[in-house]
Amino acid sequence: MKTTCEIMVQKVLPAIRAELSRTMIFEHGCTQQDVADILELSRAAVSQYVSEKRGAEVGFSGETQNEIRKFASVLLSRGLSSQEKAKGMCGVCSFVQKSGWLYRNAPEAKPCIICEDLDLK
C-alpha cells in the first residue's frame, strides 16, 4: 500500500514539473537554464523532463494541463519567492487530487491522515 502523498511525490510531482518545463520552453520560448533557475532545479533535470526521461508516466486531463499552464504563466510573469513557488506547486498538486485523477489511476492509493482530514478524495 502506498499513501496518496507517496504517489504524488513519486509520480505526479515529476509529471507536473515535466509539463511546466515543456510549457515554459515550447510555449514561452524559455531556455532549459531559464526553466532550471525558475523551478530551482538543475539544467540536467529539466533536460530529462523535456525529453520525457522523467515525469512521462502520467497523462493529465486538459483541465489539469490548463491549470499547469496558468501556473507556468504566473512563474514567468512574477519574481516569486521559493515559498510562493512551493505554494503554487501545492496548489497544482491539490488540483490533481481534487480532480479524482489519483484514485482513478492509482486505486491502491490510501489517503494519509492529513489528506483524509482535507477530504481530497
Side-chain angles (χ1 to χ4, degrees), residues 63-83:
E63 189 176 49
T64 300
Q65 288 176 340
N66 286 338
E67 195 68 21
I68 293 169
R69 284 187 183 99
K70 283 187 223 170
F71 182 48
S73 294
V74 168
L75 287 168
L76 292 169
S77 67
R78 303 182 221 155
L80 300 178
S81 69
S82 294
Q83 187 175 16

Side-chain angles (χ1 to χ4, degrees), residues 51-112:
S51 66
E52 298 184 2
K53 292 180 182 172
R54 246 193 234 188
E57 302 169 20
V58 173
F60 292 123
S61 68
E63 189 176 49
T64 300
Q65 288 176 340
N66 286 338
E67 195 68 21
I68 293 169
R69 284 187 183 99
K70 283 187 223 170
F71 182 48
S73 294
V74 168
L75 287 168
L76 292 169
S77 67
R78 303 182 221 155
L80 300 178
S81 69
S82 294
Q83 187 175 16
E84 291 168 321
K85 291 175 189 178
K87 188 175 181 180
M89 187 67 81
C90 287
V92 175
C93 281
S94 292
F95 184 89
V96 171
Q97 288 183 48
K98 288 177 184 175
S99 76
W101 176 93
L102 184 65
Y103 299 103
R104 285 191 306 275
N105 294 285
E108 76 280 7
K110 301 294 179 209
C112 67

Side-chain angles (χ1 to χ4, degrees), residues 3 25 34 36-37 47-49 54 56 60 67 70 80 85 91 97 116:
T3 66
I25 290 169
D34 293 336
D37 292 342
S47 175
Q48 289 185 342
Y49 289 131
R54 246 193 234 188
F60 292 123
E67 195 68 21
K70 283 187 223 170
L80 300 178
K85 291 175 189 178
Q97 288 183 48
E116 279 183 339

